Amino acid sequence: MKDLTPDRKTLDPIEIASRDEIEALQLKRLKWSLAHAYANVPHYKAAFDSAGVHPDDLKSLADLSKFPFTVKQDLRDNYPFGMFAVPRDQVKRVHASSGTTGQPTVVGYTENDLRHWGDVVARSLRAAGMQPGDLLHNAYGYGLFTGGLGIHLGADALGLTTVPISGGMTPRQVRLIEDFKPKGITVTPSYALSVLDEFNAQGLDPRASSLEVGIFGAEPWTNAMRREIEEAFDMHAVDIYGLSEVMGPGVSMECVETKDGLHIWEDHFFPEIIDPNTGETVKEGEVGELVFTSLTKEAFPIIRYRTRDLTRLLPGTARSMRRMEKVTGRSDDMIILRGVNVFPTQIEECLMATPGLAPHFQIELTKPNRMDQMRVLCEATGGHTAADARAAAGKALASQIKQVVGISVAVDVAEIGGVARSEGKAVRIVDKR
Ligand code: DLL
């Protein structure tokens, strides 16, 4: 793999500013953001008033903990535009969640918001090793999802050539990678695996492709998966994180030179980690639920938003801004199986450690005889598809899961193609209880 470390002279000065400078900017912006939300969004006025706090009470960054949290339900209750802090005609763009699990949540951006979003995504793409003039294959979905259009904004801001292919039509993805020779690909890690399969199905060597870096996010993925993808494509694999409520992709980004967790672009997003049960801020470096407050957003300021994502904060390395560890999962995705907490990422790690199995999987939960049961559906790799080889691999995975995670599960190893493929975010859990 080529060294893609960006020249420090090309970074935004704030990325490598002193902590004092970053914190002074944060405090100034935080005061503005709280006052802006309070003055213009009835929800925040009511929430602050009933908690007995006023934006003027914020004298230091630590004072933020006095302010109330915002949760997804607050956004649903104010559907569609009730959380906007500017008149609707100043909102240049809206995005929304799919709403498959309830009322969709809508977010909005002013012209300045779109510019800031482009700036943080440009910063993220540069941290991945992309430089002006490089070609980017953007396979995140375009549309209401923030992935495709968010990356596109940043690619424009950085001066890349973008192929806005979006997700799906996998044979065409491979064709265009072969013909256009992109340096970078932006895609969910699960869909990258589908693209990888398609390379192999077409008899093409993915290691010989032009790709030098993959920028993966929108769903949890493990370091074991990183090794698998880096090896398969002979390219760097780095992590990009974000969520619509806070902005979209580009809230935090892993640097290609260190790959040691994701630097949060702290001049725009203020992070906290809380104990999800008590709401108290945890000790520095402890794992908990990630909470974000926007510092510059005009259309849709967000105060202490509970992301449900579990991680911990770490000091800066390649940049002065703090890092968040790779997200292990969402508290919503945590399965409690007969008293043991399990995340799909733990199953992914066990799967990657078991020979003869492909990296595709799904977890099925059932409850026969009032006992929760988990079945892991996965599939064999080429050369391991005979029935006895599959049975042996399944047994090995079950025992790996028993040893590492501490739970007994059933494992079904299908033939190649037996697990549903994702074109965006993978569906890891099918709950039939
Ligand atoms: O997934 C934004 C995005 C697009 C990020 C493209 C990165 C790349 P939402 O659809 O609102 O936004 O989903 C946000 O996805 O709260 C996490 O649970 C999860 N997520 C996003 N990035 C990562 C990541 C986009 N790198 C939700 N690792 C978040 C783990 C992630 N989970």
Side-chain angles (χ1 to χ4, degrees):
M1 286 184 273
K2 262 196 211 151
D3 179 10
L4 297 182
T5 311
D7 183 345
R8 280 183 90 78
K9 289 199 287 289
T10 65
L11 305 183
D12 292 342
I14 195 73
E15 292 180 63
I16 45 175
S18 69
R19 286 304 308 171
D20 285 351
E21 212 174 314
I22 292 169
E23 283 169 23
L25 181 66
Q26 286 178 322
L27 184 59
K28 186 173 121 210
R29 290 182 166 179
L30 188 53
K31 286 181 175 168
W32 172 83
S33 190
L34 291 173
H36 174 60
Y38 187 78
N40 298 298
V41 183
H43 166 80
Y44 286 118
K45 172 148 191 354
F48 290 12
D49 286 350
S50 78
V53 282
H54 186 273
D56 291 345
D57 297 336
L58 185 106
K59 308 280 184 226
S60 70
L61 292 172
D63 288 338
L64 183 59
S65 65
K66 298 178 186 157
F67 287 79
F69 294 116
T70 307
V71 295
K72 195 158 194 114
Q73 190 59 42
D74 296 323
L75 311 190
R76 291 195 170 130
D77 293 346
N78 289 285
Y79 176 84
F81 300 152
M83 297 295 276
F84 289 2
V86 300
R88 214 268 309 125
D89 63 358
Q90 286 176 33
V91 176
K92 288 277 151 13
R93 171 95 66 82
V94 294
H95 280 281
S97 68
S98 58
T100 42
T101 54
Q103 184 98 277
T105 48
V106 181
V107 298
Y109 308 79
T110 62
E111 184 119 31
N112 282 331
D113 294 336
L114 289 174
R115 188 165 45 78
H116 286 144
W117 190 10
D119 288 347
V120 291
V121 174
R123 217 188 256 180
S124 304
L125 295 169
R126 188 173 52 219
M130 297 297 286
Q131 288 175 12
D134 286 341
L135 193 82
L136 180 71
H137 183 97
N138 184 18
Y140 284 119
Y142 279 66
L144 286 174
F145 174 52
T146 51
L149 284 159
I151 294 290
H152 197 118
L153 267 180
D156 279 350
L158 185 59
L160 307 182
T161 306
T162 310
V163 182
I165 189 159
S166 195
M169 296 204 259
T170 315
R172 192 180 65 170
Q173 302 271 351
V174 172
R175 171 95 207 254
L176 296 197
I177 293 170
E178 285 293 290
D179 293 349
F180 295 178
K181 310 212 180 316
K183 169 171 162 183
I185 181 169
T186 37
V187 63
T188 60
S190 59
Y191 190 47
L193 294 175
S194 306
V195 173
L196 176 63
D197 283 352
E198 183 62 28
F199 262 93
N200 292 323
Q202 293 188 21
L204 296 165
D205 178 7
R207 291 181 60 88
S209 86
S210 59
L211 292 171
E212 292 175 34
V213 61
I215 298 160
F216 302 114
E219 61 187 8
W221 58 296
T222 59
N223 282 316
M225 180 76 86
R226 186 206 307 275
R227 286 189 291 276
E228 172 99 9
I229 293 177
E230 288 195 330
E231 177 63 27
F233 280 104
D234 187 26
M235 69 173 179
H236 296 278
V238 284
D239 198 354
I240 185 164
Y241 169 91
L243 64 167
S244 327
E245 295 87 338
V246 174
M247 189 66 112
V251 171
S252 65
M253 177 72 206
E254 204 166 41
C255 292
V256 71
E257 64 269 43
T258 42
K259 295 181 190 159
D260 58 354
L262 303 91
H263 287 273
I264 297 166
W265 302 132
E266 280 191 86
D267 49 339
H268 293 280
F269 316 106
F270 186 83
E272 296 170 88
I273 302 282
I274 60 161
D275 177 328
N277 299 314
T278 65
E280 297 292 321
T281 309
V282 301
K283 282 208 220 80
E284 215 171 299
E286 271 179 27
V287 174
E289 180 180 342
L290 182 60
V291 170
F292 273 114
T293 299
S294 65
L295 299 178
T296 54
K297 285 209 302 173
E298 295 175 341
F300 190 87
I302 190 101
I303 310 300
R304 302 199 84 201
Y305 185 67
R306 293 188 59 160
T307 65
R308 311 226 153 253
D309 294 323
L310 302 174
T311 183
R312 61 195 183 114
L313 293 180
L314 302 163
T317 51
R319 305 289 185 276
S320 328
M321 301 198 186
R322 282 177 290 176
R323 287 166 301 149
M324 54 186 259
E325 201 168 57
K326 238 174 167 341
V327 172
T328 22
R330 296 174 60 76
S331 52
D332 310 0
D333 284 347
M334 188 177 83
I335 303 159
I336 306 180
L337 196 79
R338 301 187 290 272
V340 182
N341 298 348
V342 190
F343 285 102
T345 45
Q346 291 173 286
I347 303 299
E348 180 176 301
E349 267 169 3
C350 293
L351 183 81
M352 308 300 272
T354 310
L357 295 177
H360 311 285
F361 72 101
Q362 212 163 41
I363 294 167
E364 190 186 273
L365 299 172
T366 52
K367 198 166 188 164
N369 314 318
R370 288 191 286 162
M371 278 284 278
D372 286 326
Q373 281 192 3
M374 187 194 287
R375 195 169 71 100
V376 178
L377 180 62
C378 53
E379 65 182 60
T381 49
H384 296 84
T385 52
D388 54 344
R390 283 189 284 131
K395 226 171 132 188
L397 176 58
S399 102
Q400 177 82 4
I401 293 172
K402 175 85 197 166
Q403 263 179 44
V404 178
V405 190
I407 51 170
S408 301
V409 303
V411 177
D412 275 0
V413 183
E415 299 206 22
I416 294 174
V419 178
R421 293 290 189 270
S422 114
E423 292 190 346
K425 296 186 192 235
V427 179
R428 291 299 186 206
I429 303 174
V430 181
D431 197 339
K432 295 188 169 167
R433 290 175 294 183

